[in-house]
Amino acid sequence: MFGGMFDWFWNFLYGISKSLFRIIDYLMSCANMLCGIEPIKYQGVETDFLTFLLRNENISYGFVAAALIAVILTFLFGVAALIRAIVSEKSNMTPGQVLVKVGKTLLTFIFIPVCLSVLVYFTNVLMQSLYAATLGGSPDGIGRFLAGAFGQDALKNGVSPNFYLESSFNYMSTSSMRSYVDLSDYDFFFSWISGICIVLSLGSALLTFIDRVISLVILYLFSPISVSTAVVDDGAHFKLWRDQFIVKFLLGYGCIIAINVYTLIIAAITQNGLVFFENNALNNFMKILIIVGGSVSMQRIMALVGNLVSAGAGSNELRDNAIAGAQMRGFFGSAARGLTAPFRATRSAVNFVRDAKQFGKGTAIGQRLGFRTGRDYGKMSNVQLAQSRQLMREKEQMRRQSNASFFGSKSSIQNALNGKKDGGNGGKGGAGEKVPVKKDNAIVNNAIANSLNNKKNEKK
């Protein structure tokens, strides 16, 4: 009975979880296409994104132009190396070796596009297999796997732990999920923490993937020029180009595989069977710590993959990504300030008009120019002056009313000094009843009477 009453609540909580899973799948699809794991279609033909760019007509024209420039540079470098080989006795190459190296360099220009196409194709095939092996058996992304992983402790009787692999299962359908698990026992909290961490990691990684694609295209265009220097530097610049290209090419795959491995670890540690501490709160805190720490390490894993290719290359990429991230935040901050500039200008104009009314135009202009004005030294505005005057008038009026109430009745003061009391007829000391007083009171009475008369004359 009570379970049915709270079905709407569990449905609402699962709605948050499945929304995070859907966002993760969307981000992973974008990342996989940028990396080449998932194909794209161009004019009905499937290809990967990088191959599409490298074979683009405009980019191909750019490569041909760079190759022509490189051919000219190769002949110039070849002539310089040939002269050095003939004139210098310390030269390590003979004229024949120089000519052979020039021929190899010219042939390399032809094979660069072919070699890159072969590298991209075989690497994509290899990474697709590795990507599928780290999906936890899920056929269509990690969203399905995550939905099933956080429901392992809420399975209904007779339901297989691998229910999420069934073709009829749809994690975006709450009713479909209810047919397999009891949502009241679903690990909502861990699903939210994990989902947010993965979304943030993928969001930052997508910027890296875009930078990777642009960098690879630039390296492709400049490859003939780097190769042309092989005649004079024994291929040092070409080796530098090759290391940068391979590092850029593999970093994206490394991040995608790292995220898949990260999800497998999350699924393993969030099970109730894994106990770090007997204290339940401390045990959950330990699991959350591992989840959050894993998400922070995603960028470092990309650097690890780069360091495997070339010493220090991955760390340099990580540093460059941090600089690019800071520049991106600065760009968005500048854009936000630009969008709010009209509102800030309007606010400044309104404030200037108000300050000019209250403190004067000179004070308002001086303050805008950065000079110290009377306002900085305690000058009151017109409103403050008016309030101060009104307060002084009210105090003066209250003082006069108090004086009038005290000095306004001569008989009451004299009765008080003579020992008489006003009002009240009953009891001792009532109205009209005299109390023995001293003779000196007559002198005091005359002084007070004269003071009251002088007060009345002043008023007239």
Side-chain angles (χ1 to χ4, degrees):
M1 175 180 177
F2 291 102
M5 290 176 59
F6 290 98
D7 283 348
W8 65 270
F9 181 67
W10 307 123
N11 292 343
F12 170 74
L13 296 182
Y14 182 69
I16 300 175
S17 298
K18 70 181 182 182
S19 298
L20 287 173
F21 300 153
R22 172 61 65 88
I23 294 173
I24 291 172
D25 275 346
Y26 285 163
L27 291 176
M28 285 294 290
S29 296
C30 294
N32 290 340
M33 282 191 174
L34 290 175
C35 285
I37 293 176
E38 292 184 8
I40 64 172
K41 284 188 177 182
Y42 177 68
Q43 296 180 350
V45 180
E46 287 191 352
T47 182
D48 62 272
F49 184 60
L50 184 58
T51 302
F52 162 73
L53 290 180
L54 296 180
R55 294 180 179 176
N56 183 267
E57 184 178 1
N58 295 326
I59 294 176
S60 298
Y61 287 154
F63 178 81
V64 171
L68 293 176
I69 295 173
V71 169
I72 298 173
L73 292 175
T74 301
F75 280 113
L76 293 177
F77 292 145
V79 171
L82 189 61
I83 294 174
R84 185 178 63 181
I86 295 173
V87 175
S88 177
E89 297 180 355
K90 297 181 180 180
S91 177
N92 296 326
M93 292 188 298
T94 63
Q97 292 175 333
V98 171
L99 294 176
V100 171
K101 187 166 289 188
V102 170
K104 289 181 179 179
T105 303
L106 293 176
L107 289 176
T108 305
F109 296 153
I110 301 174
F111 288 106
I112 283 178
V114 178
C115 293
L116 291 183
S117 298
V118 174
L119 174 65
V120 171
Y121 174 77
F122 282 104
T123 306
N124 285 342
V125 172
L126 176 64
M127 290 301 172
Q128 286 172 6
S129 302
L130 188 58
Y131 174 76
T134 55
L135 276 177
S138 177
D140 54 3
I142 61 176
R144 174 195 289 259
F145 172 73
L146 289 173
F150 294 112
Q152 293 297 308
D153 298 320
L155 296 176
K156 292 184 177 180
N157 293 331
V159 176
S160 170
N162 296 326
F163 71 93
Y164 58 89
L165 300 180
E166 298 180 7
S167 58
S168 59
F169 174 69
N170 179 16
Y171 73 85
M172 285 304 298
S173 173
T174 305
S175 59
S176 177
M177 177 61 76
R178 279 190 170 277
S179 61
Y180 296 98
V181 302
D182 184 4
L183 287 184
S184 61
D185 292 330
Y186 197 82
D187 290 332
F188 293 111
F189 182 71
F190 284 124
S191 70
W192 299 339
I193 295 294
S194 305
I196 292 173
C197 291
I198 295 175
V199 167
L200 293 178
S201 298
L202 278 173
S204 61
L206 279 177
L207 299 178
T208 304
F209 297 151
I210 297 172
D211 169 74
R212 164 186 176 268
V213 172
I214 297 174
S215 299
L216 289 175
V217 172
I218 293 175
L219 288 172
Y220 171 69
L221 292 177
F222 281 89
S223 59
I225 297 176
S226 297
V227 173
S228 66
T229 61
V231 179
V232 292
D233 63 1
D234 293 330
H237 283 84
F238 178 67
K239 182 179 182 298
L240 178 63
W241 174 89
R242 182 188 61 198
D243 292 342
Q244 288 185 352
F245 188 90
I246 294 176
V247 169
K248 288 283 186 182
F249 186 67
L250 295 180
L251 275 182
Y253 294 111
C255 183
I256 294 295
I257 302 303
I259 289 174
N260 285 348
V261 174
Y262 173 59
T263 57
L264 294 176
I265 294 174
I266 290 174
I269 67 172
T270 53
Q271 296 183 6
N272 288 342
L274 179 63
V275 178
F276 292 100
F277 301 97
E278 295 299 330
N279 187 326
N280 190 39
L282 187 58
N283 189 57
N284 290 335
F285 177 78
M286 182 65 181
K287 293 181 178 181
I288 294 172
L289 188 64
I290 295 175
I291 293 172
V292 176
S295 68
V296 174
S297 67
M298 288 295 103
Q299 295 294 328
R300 293 198 175 104
I301 292 177
M302 295 177 65
L304 176 63
V305 175
N307 289 333
L308 292 175
V309 178
S310 178
S315 300
N316 293 334
E317 286 292 326
L318 183 63
R319 185 184 63 253
D320 293 342
N321 290 339
I323 295 173
Q327 292 176 345
M328 184 65 67
R329 289 191 293 271
F331 169 77
F332 284 119
S334 300
R337 287 192 295 271
L339 292 175
T340 58
F343 303 99
R344 288 186 283 110
T346 303
R347 181 186 62 189
S348 179
V350 172
N351 291 338
F352 177 80
V353 173
R354 290 180 176 177
D355 289 345
K357 288 181 179 180
Q358 296 299 323
F359 298 98
K361 293 182 180 179
T363 299
I365 295 174
Q367 200 169 32
R368 294 301 187 279
L369 295 177
F371 295 104
R372 287 188 177 273
T373 61
R375 185 178 181 181
D376 298 314
Y377 298 104
K379 179 182 177 181
M380 292 190 296
S381 67
N382 296 333
V383 173
Q384 292 172 330
L385 288 172
Q387 292 175 347
S388 178
R389 293 192 188 102
Q390 179 65 23
L391 182 61
M392 291 177 64
R393 284 194 294 267
E394 291 177 355
K395 288 183 177 180
E396 179 65 20
Q397 186 177 4
M398 292 175 62
R399 186 185 65 80
R400 290 179 178 179
Q401 291 176 354
S402 177
N403 292 341
S405 63
F406 183 76
F407 296 106
S409 176
K410 176 180 177 181
S411 60
S412 61
I413 297 174
Q414 290 176 344
N415 291 336
L417 293 173
N418 291 328
K420 296 182 179 180
K421 294 184 179 179
D422 292 335
N425 296 325
K428 188 176 180 180
E433 184 179 354
K434 293 184 178 181
V435 179
V437 295
K438 296 181 179 180
K439 293 180 180 181
D440 294 340
N441 286 345
I443 299 174
V444 178
N445 291 340
N446 291 332
I448 293 174
N450 292 332
S451 175
L452 293 176
N453 289 333
N454 294 334
K455 206 72 173 173
K456 290 180 180 180
N457 293 331
E458 290 178 0
K459 292 182 178 179
K460 289 180 181 181

